[in-house]
């Protein structure tokens, strides 16, 4: 018998003649944790979709050997029965169903008569929540009650509940906090001890380094190399990924910072379901012209809600007094925000950022379509010109601007959403987790672009859960904890510890 649990050979997959995978091999031993690395659009998710039969046998070429035998699976259920369980990059939960129902979807526990055994499912779901250190989650509540980080962990609980021999995690930590990430990494280590193998895809290379035995790098659908993690460092992974060395991950550039340009006063947001609870509790802050203001805090601290209130799209009751360039403004919808010069690139691009079935180009020009219209007729030549400019500027990887944006890799979708929000020429740009799911090379480009924009006088609010990013890019850092402003620091000599301490509310000192 082969020493490999999984042996994928010469996998080729094309989409309408465009090769996403061009003859890739991937081998995994029992209990081995393999880090699958590569830039946005390299083909990582596609390879895992081939493996899990999201793309059934026959829609790709090559061979998959599983426990020594060729696997020709036509459905995801077949691969799951074989012991291959995948957690997709984009969450697959049904928001209206309860946490427990989501965990057991397609896998329900039934009573002898065939009726659902809710009490058994609730009990097991609660056990899983405890295992993932989320005992406070009410498994009977609909999933939409919970934020991105919790939803990601619920998705993981769903996978853990299936009996996996190989667990595939496609960007599992992109919406997790540091603490949640640690829980997940511990679970992977624990599974490994139990003999479960794992393929982990992540753009956070320190996580890859922390938990993987082997690194496999792909570029443009081709295999670049496979190496043991021991004796390697993250810089070498980066060099393998992008084919060149990136010395400074945060290309901070000097830029002049002007007077206070934007101000939010007394922003308060009430919880949609429980108006007695404040998600944002009387936050006030200022933003200077040409400034990059980082907003740090734990996931669920109220940062996204704060951004939504400023952009006029908070779904519940809220109050916000906004001042722009010395004048009080009234924002009651995203439309009015955009018209007055405030743009938001949302955190959850699948829900708020893109129209999945529309073309990449149409998605980019969506917010400014009227600029190309005269007497109601769209000047498509002008529009196409702008689209091509945006695609080139952000180096969005797509075969054509007409392809549905859904087909783009995660990072490229993010770049398209960013392009869309730059077209209305905002004065204040709010970026909510702008580099989530974005590869190191593209991150670098996004940071460069941010500096280019502030040099032109734009002011940027960047919400980020990546402390190195917040500290590497921001001029000033706001720290939010439990809906309250816990710190406002000039970013000079500021440390991760200081920010975390403030976020946890152990010190309410305002340093700036
Ligand atoms: N359904 C699809 N239709 C058309 N093209 C697709 C489809 N899915 C993927 N592609 C293309 O295949 C290539 C590989 O995409 P894939 O999603 O596998 O990249 P990835 O390595 O997972 O990137 P990321 O890090 O951004 O998630 C990309 O060029 C992408 O545009
Ligand atoms: Mg992917």
């Amino acid at each position: 018998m082969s020493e490999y649990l999984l042996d994928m050979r010469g996998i080729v997959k094309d989409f309408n003649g465009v090769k996403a995978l061009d003859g890739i091999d991937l081998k995994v031993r029992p209990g081995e944790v393999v880090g699958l690395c590569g830039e946005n659009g390299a083909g990582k998710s596609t390879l895992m979709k081939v493996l899990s039969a999201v793309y059934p046998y026959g829609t790709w070429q090559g061979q998959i050997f599983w426990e020594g035998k060729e696997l020709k699976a036509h459905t995801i259920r077949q691969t799951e029965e074989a012991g291959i369980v995948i957690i997709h990059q984009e969450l697959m939960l049904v928001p209206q169903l309860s946490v427990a129902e989501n965990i057991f979807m397609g896998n329900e526990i039934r009573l002898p008569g065939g009726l659902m055994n809710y009490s058994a499912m609730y009990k097991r779901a609660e056990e899983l929540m405890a295992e993932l250190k989320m005992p406070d989650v009410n498994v009977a509540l609909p999933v939409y009650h919970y934020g991105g980080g919790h939803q990601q962990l619920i998705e993981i609980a769903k996978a853990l509940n299936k009996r996996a021999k190989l667990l595939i995690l496609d960007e599992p930590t992109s919406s997790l906090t540091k603490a949640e990430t640690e829980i997940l990494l511990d679970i992977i280590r624990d599974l490994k001890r139990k003999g479960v193998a794992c393929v982990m895809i992540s753009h956070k290379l320190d996580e890859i380094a922390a938990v993987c035995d082997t690194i496999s790098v792909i570029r443009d659908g081709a295999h670049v190399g496979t190496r043991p993690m021991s004796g390697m460092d993250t810089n070498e992974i980066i060099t393998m990924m992008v084919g060149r060395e990136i010395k400074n991950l945060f290309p901070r550039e000097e830029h002049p910072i002007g007077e206070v340009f934007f101000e939010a006063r007394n922003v308060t947001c009430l919880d949609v379901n429980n108006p007695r609870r404040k998600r944002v509790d009387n936050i006030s802050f200022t933003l200077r012209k040409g400034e990059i203001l980082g907003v740090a805090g734990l996931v669920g601290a109220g940062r996204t809600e704060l951004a939504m209130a400023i952009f006029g799209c908070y779904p519940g009751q809220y109050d916000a007094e906004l001042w722009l360039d010395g004048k009080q403004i009234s924002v009651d919808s995203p439309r009015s925000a955009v018209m007055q010069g405030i743009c938001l690139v949302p955190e959850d691009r699948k829900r708020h950022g893109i129209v999945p079935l529309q073309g990449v180009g149409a998605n980019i020009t969506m917010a400014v379509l009227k600029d190309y219209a005269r007497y109601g007729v769209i000047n498509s030549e002008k529009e196409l010109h702008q689209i091509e400019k945006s695609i080139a500027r952000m180096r969005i990887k797509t075969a054509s601007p007409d392809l549905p944006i859904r087909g783009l890799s995660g990072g490229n979708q993010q770049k398209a959403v960013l392009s869309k929000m730059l077209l209305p020429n905002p004065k204040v740009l709010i970026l909510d987790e702008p580099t989530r799911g974005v590869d190191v090379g593209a991150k670098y480009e996004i940071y460069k672009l941010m500096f280019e924009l502030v040099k032109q006088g734009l002011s940027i609010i960047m919400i980020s859960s990546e402390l190195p990013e917040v500290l590497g890019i921001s001029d000033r850092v706001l720290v939010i904890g439990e809906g309250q402003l816990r710190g406002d620091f000039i970013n000079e000599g500021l440390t991760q510890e200081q920010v975390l301490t403030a976020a946890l509310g152990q010190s309410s000192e305002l340093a700036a």
Side-chain angles (χ1 to χ4, degrees):
M1 183 144 159
S2 153
E3 64 177 299
Y4 295 108
L5 174 69
L6 172 73
D7 183 355
M8 300 178 83
R9 296 186 197 161
I11 306 295
V12 174
K13 167 81 190 161
D14 64 72
F15 295 104
N16 312 314
V18 182
K19 278 210 170 101
L21 301 177
D22 195 4
I24 290 208
D25 296 345
L26 182 73
K27 294 179 178 29
V28 182
R29 295 182 182 85
E32 184 181 28
V33 183
V34 175
L36 185 58
C37 302
E39 292 177 283
N40 294 131
K44 304 176 298 290
S45 297
T46 305
L47 186 65
M48 292 302 105
K49 286 178 186 167
V50 165
L51 173 58
S52 53
V54 171
Y55 302 134
Y57 183 76
T59 63
W60 41 269
Q61 292 96 54
Q63 284 178 301
I64 301 176
F65 292 92
W66 175 251
E67 299 184 303
K69 285 199 281 295
E70 191 169 1
L71 181 73
K72 300 179 178 179
H74 293 276
T75 64
I76 301 175
R77 185 161 276 264
Q78 285 170 343
T79 56
E80 280 189 354
E81 275 163 8
I84 301 168
V85 175
I86 181 165
I87 301 171
H88 287 284
Q89 184 167 15
E90 311 291 347
L91 294 181
M92 300 280 177
L93 300 172
V94 183
Q96 292 79 11
L97 293 185
S98 72
V99 173
E101 283 167 316
N102 268 286
I103 291 176
F104 286 94
M105 194 184 307
N107 211 3
E108 294 83 0
I109 305 179
R110 292 182 188 274
L111 292 164
L115 286 178
M116 303 260 224
N117 186 347
Y118 277 106
S119 65
M121 289 195 282
Y122 281 6
K123 185 158 171 284
R124 176 74 186 126
E126 275 162 10
E127 284 168 16
L128 286 163
M129 291 303 111
E131 213 174 300
L132 289 163
K133 313 243 164 36
M134 299 195 294
D136 53 322
V137 167
N138 180 347
V139 299
L141 281 183
V143 155
Y144 66 69
H145 275 267
Y146 296 101
H150 275 64
Q151 291 195 9
Q152 181 75 57
L153 288 170
I154 293 166
E155 187 88 54
I156 288 162
K158 181 176 164 186
L160 290 180
N161 189 45
K162 299 171 183 164
R163 220 164 314 209
K165 290 177 184 164
L166 175 69
L167 185 64
I168 303 163
L169 300 141
D170 193 350
E171 295 282 347
T173 63
S174 54
S175 47
L176 299 188
T177 60
K178 262 270 167 290
E180 288 167 334
T181 300
E182 280 310 319
I183 296 170
L184 177 67
L185 296 183
D186 273 342
I187 283 175
I188 295 174
R189 291 183 189 109
D190 190 45
L191 289 171
K192 180 182 161 65
R193 277 192 290 273
K194 293 176 181 153
V196 178
C198 195
V199 174
M200 163 118 164
I201 299 175
S202 175
H203 290 293
K204 299 182 190 169
L205 299 179
D206 49 338
E207 291 167 10
I208 293 275
V211 64
C212 293
D213 305 304
T214 310
I215 306 297
S216 211
V217 176
I218 64 180
R219 194 191 307 148
D220 292 331
H223 185 237
V224 174
T226 296
R227 292 200 210 153
M229 186 61 226
S230 64
M232 269 228 295
D233 62 21
T234 49
N235 281 333
E236 288 169 81
I237 305 178
I238 293 173
T239 308
M240 275 172 88
M241 274 172 62
V242 300
R244 68 192 147 90
E245 208 176 334
I246 295 186
K247 285 226 172 63
N248 181 7
L249 289 181
F250 302 108
R252 203 163 170 175
E253 290 172 31
E254 286 299 317
H255 55 271
I257 294 174
E259 296 297 309
V260 168
F261 182 68
F262 173 79
E263 196 173 345
R265 288 185 200 160
N266 309 324
V267 183
T268 295
C269 300
L270 304 185
D271 190 283
V272 179
N273 298 299
N274 175 12
R276 267 173 309 184
R277 188 173 159 224
K278 288 180 182 161
R279 299 298 294 266
V280 175
D281 188 0
N282 204 27
I283 289 186
S284 302
F285 69 91
T286 58
L287 174 69
R288 291 171 178 273
K289 203 167 172 61
E291 184 175 44
I292 298 181
L293 177 65
V295 182
L298 305 181
V299 171
R303 296 169 303 165
T304 293
E305 290 80 358
L306 176 65
M308 286 175 139
I310 294 171
F311 194 56
C313 66
Y314 182 71
Q317 264 190 59
Y318 72 98
D319 255 322
E321 196 184 302
L322 306 178
W323 297 72
L324 187 73
D325 206 5
K327 286 188 275 299
Q328 188 167 4
I329 57 169
S330 131
V331 169
D332 53 12
S333 66
R335 206 186 142 77
S336 72
V338 171
M339 272 166 44
Q340 295 176 89
I342 302 174
C343 281
L344 167 73
V345 177
E347 165 185 37
D348 182 348
R349 67 172 167 261
K350 199 174 163 196
R351 262 167 67 195
H352 307 294
I354 61 168
V355 184
L357 291 176
Q358 278 200 8
V360 177
N363 268 283
I364 292 176
T365 51
M366 202 155 39
V368 291
L369 254 197
K370 60 166 187 357
D371 294 359
Y372 308 113
R374 260 192 103 183
Y375 312 117
V377 179
I378 305 283
N379 177 343
S380 38
E381 204 175 309
K382 202 169 146 203
E383 188 193 355
L384 188 63
H385 179 70
Q386 182 51 254
I387 290 170
E388 278 168 355
K389 245 171 70 182
S390 294
I391 289 179
R393 177 183 196 185
M394 300 293 278
R395 282 187 247 170
I396 298 170
K397 204 177 148 194
T398 177
S400 142
D402 299 328
L403 289 181
I405 194 166
R406 187 177 66 161
L408 254 58
S409 74
N412 282 295
Q413 288 184 14
Q414 181 68 1
K415 290 199 243 172
V417 176
L418 209 59
S419 312
K420 163 180 142 187
M421 277 312 178
L422 288 179
L423 285 191
N425 286 322
K427 298 175 191 135
V428 172
L429 182 63
I430 310 172
L431 305 173
D432 195 354
E433 306 285 359
T435 65
R436 172 175 296 170
V438 170
D439 73 51
V440 267
K443 263 186 196 156
Y444 187 88
E445 285 167 29
I446 289 175
Y447 300 143
K448 280 273 196 207
L449 178 78
M450 287 170 65
F451 284 109
E452 202 180 294
L453 293 171
V454 290
K455 279 181 184 168
Q456 290 164 12
L458 213 96
S459 306
I460 294 182
I461 299 173
M462 176 185 71
I463 299 172
S464 168
S465 299
E466 296 296 303
L467 278 183
E469 172 174 277
V470 171
L471 296 175
I473 296 297
S474 316
D475 300 307
R476 194 154 57 90
V477 178
L478 292 186
V479 183
I480 314 272
E482 291 169 55
Q484 293 167 346
L485 185 62
R486 293 265 173 82
D488 182 341
F489 303 97
I490 298 285
N491 186 16
E492 278 169 12
L494 189 62
T495 63
Q496 296 206 21
E497 287 69 30
Q498 280 171 295
V499 173
L500 271 177
T501 310
L504 294 170
Q506 285 156 354
S507 145
S508 54
E509 231 174 276
L510 296 191

